Amino acid sequence: MAAGAPGGGSTVANTYEKARTWLLLPSWLVLLGLSLIPVIMMLVYSFLTKEFRGGVIWEFSLAAYDQFFFDRGLFGDEPPSIEWTYITIFWRSFWQAGTATLLSLAIGFPTAYFIATRPAGSRAIWVFLITIPYWVNLLIRTVSMKFLLRDQGPLNQVLMSLGLIDSPLHMVNTNFAVQLGLFYSYLPFMVLPIYAAVERYDFSLSEAAADLYASRWVTLRRVLLPAVKPGIIAGCILVFVPSLGSFLAPDLLGGAKNYMIGSLIEEQFKGNAGNWPFGAAASMILLTIVLIILLLFARQQTRHERKEA
């Protein structure tokens, strides 16, 4: 008797209804152990007191958040003023991550479209070529990028040998180097979601638009982009969020003048000079800002989908 038949057979969904909770239990435990518990630990640590030799003292305090937002002088006895140092670092981090995301989108979208429009038999090869460099550890790739960009590195030597420049360009410890490092590190996270979306796109829609005398620009803007929008959004999130918390590229390629929030947080947990509560507070502030942005964006998307429905 077929599943779900009137004679009393149960559907496949009903077969696993009672076992669904147990089947999902391992996934929930992994998410709890690797995601929720570390966040809760950071939240708790952000309200504790710094221990002089590193670590924390289990006494409730708002000193870490006060240190982030207010400057009370060297000895802490002056009237509070806004602490612009950390706010500037946050702003620089968002600017760098946003620029890296836009650059990845500008390069990643044409790349993904090109791969998705190749013959089916060769697409896997193109995807393979995109991912090959990322089989190497991120630290090694970042150090290699620094070697490439240094004053006496291969890039400057090639430019000088071609007569394009007379003296080496100083690229290491600049915003350009950080942008290039972030772009190189996370470009596949933009290409792959967009490629998956374009691969599912029905190209007969573009043909129909052409039949109705739509230009290529109009077809791209009014037909293709709305259809692959979920892939673009996913790619932007996958590039923006890790770029925001990155510390390898700023540390190795940016130097002290291009300090980012990831470097600030990482520094607070190193050695005896670190400030664990402050590092945890900075992490929670960053997490809160990112969650607010994502929630507002998700809310806007939900409203837009309701209007279209």
Side-chain angles (χ1 to χ4, degrees):
M1 182 178 296
S10 61
T11 63
V12 175
N14 290 335
T15 302
Y16 296 100
E17 183 70 25
K18 296 181 180 180
R20 181 173 58 180
T21 302
W22 294 104
L23 292 173
L24 290 175
L25 184 60
S27 300
W28 286 112
L29 290 176
V30 170
L31 291 175
L32 179 66
L34 299 182
S35 299
L36 186 58
I37 291 179
V39 172
I40 294 176
M41 290 178 61
M42 286 294 100
L43 180 62
V44 173
Y45 270 50
S46 69
F47 290 104
L48 298 180
T49 303
K50 175 190 175 183
E51 210 277 328
F52 179 74
R53 294 169 297 178
V56 296
I57 300 174
W58 288 85
E59 296 178 0
F60 178 82
S61 173
L62 294 174
Y65 291 95
D66 183 83
Q67 178 183 349
F68 186 92
F69 291 106
F70 299 106
D71 179 13
R72 299 180 182 272
L74 180 61
F75 300 102
D77 54 355
E78 299 181 9
S81 59
I82 297 178
E83 177 58 86
W84 291 106
T85 301
Y86 304 121
I87 296 176
T88 301
I89 292 175
F90 259 68
W91 164 247
R92 182 186 300 121
S93 300
F94 275 88
W95 179 81
Q96 293 276 31
T99 305
T101 302
L102 292 177
L103 181 60
S104 296
L105 178 61
I107 303 299
F109 182 85
T111 303
Y113 185 86
F114 172 82
I115 296 174
T117 53
R118 297 306 93 193
S122 63
R123 293 175 193 170
I125 299 177
W126 287 104
V127 173
F128 177 75
L129 294 176
I130 289 290
T131 58
I132 278 181
Y134 300 88
W135 294 4
V136 180
N137 183 271
L138 178 60
L139 175 60
I140 297 176
R141 289 189 280 115
T142 306
V143 172
S144 300
M145 180 67 68
K146 184 176 183 178
F147 172 79
L148 180 67
L149 297 178
R150 64 179 183 166
D151 292 354
Q152 304 302 324
L155 181 59
N156 271 313
Q157 291 180 359
V158 170
L159 294 176
M160 293 179 65
S161 64
L162 295 176
L164 298 178
I165 57 175
D166 297 326
S167 59
L169 297 175
H170 181 67
M171 291 178 282
V172 178
N173 297 336
T174 63
N175 282 326
F176 170 76
V178 175
Q179 287 297 323
L180 193 60
L182 294 175
F183 164 75
Y184 174 68
S185 298
Y186 302 112
L187 178 61
F189 295 156
M190 180 70 73
V191 173
L192 297 179
I194 297 178
Y195 161 72
V198 176
E199 191 179 33
R200 295 191 299 267
Y201 173 68
D202 185 0
F203 283 91
S204 63
L205 297 175
S206 298
E207 296 175 0
D211 291 339
L212 295 174
Y213 303 102
S215 64
R216 293 184 176 181
W217 168 247
V218 172
T219 302
L220 173 66
R221 185 169 58 90
R222 302 294 296 273
V223 181
L224 177 60
L225 288 181
V228 302
K229 186 178 179 181
I232 295 176
I233 294 173
C236 290
I237 293 175
L238 290 175
V239 172
F240 179 79
V241 173
S243 296
L244 191 60
S246 175
F247 64 89
L248 276 180
D251 280 359
L252 296 177
L253 301 175
K257 293 183 179 180
N258 297 280
Y259 214 55
M260 289 178 61
I261 186 62
S263 303
L264 174 65
I265 295 172
E266 184 254 353
E267 186 178 73
Q268 303 307 312
F269 291 93
K270 291 196 312 183
N272 296 332
N275 188 338
W276 290 15
F278 180 74
S283 301
M284 296 311 302
I285 293 171
L286 177 62
L287 177 62
T288 301
I289 294 175
V290 172
L291 286 178
I292 290 174
I293 294 175
L294 294 179
L295 288 174
L296 291 175
F297 183 78
R299 185 177 181 182
Q300 182 182 6
Q301 286 297 115
T302 303
R303 288 180 178 179
H304 180 72
E305 292 174 358
R306 289 178 178 175
K307 289 181 180 180
E308 290 185 346

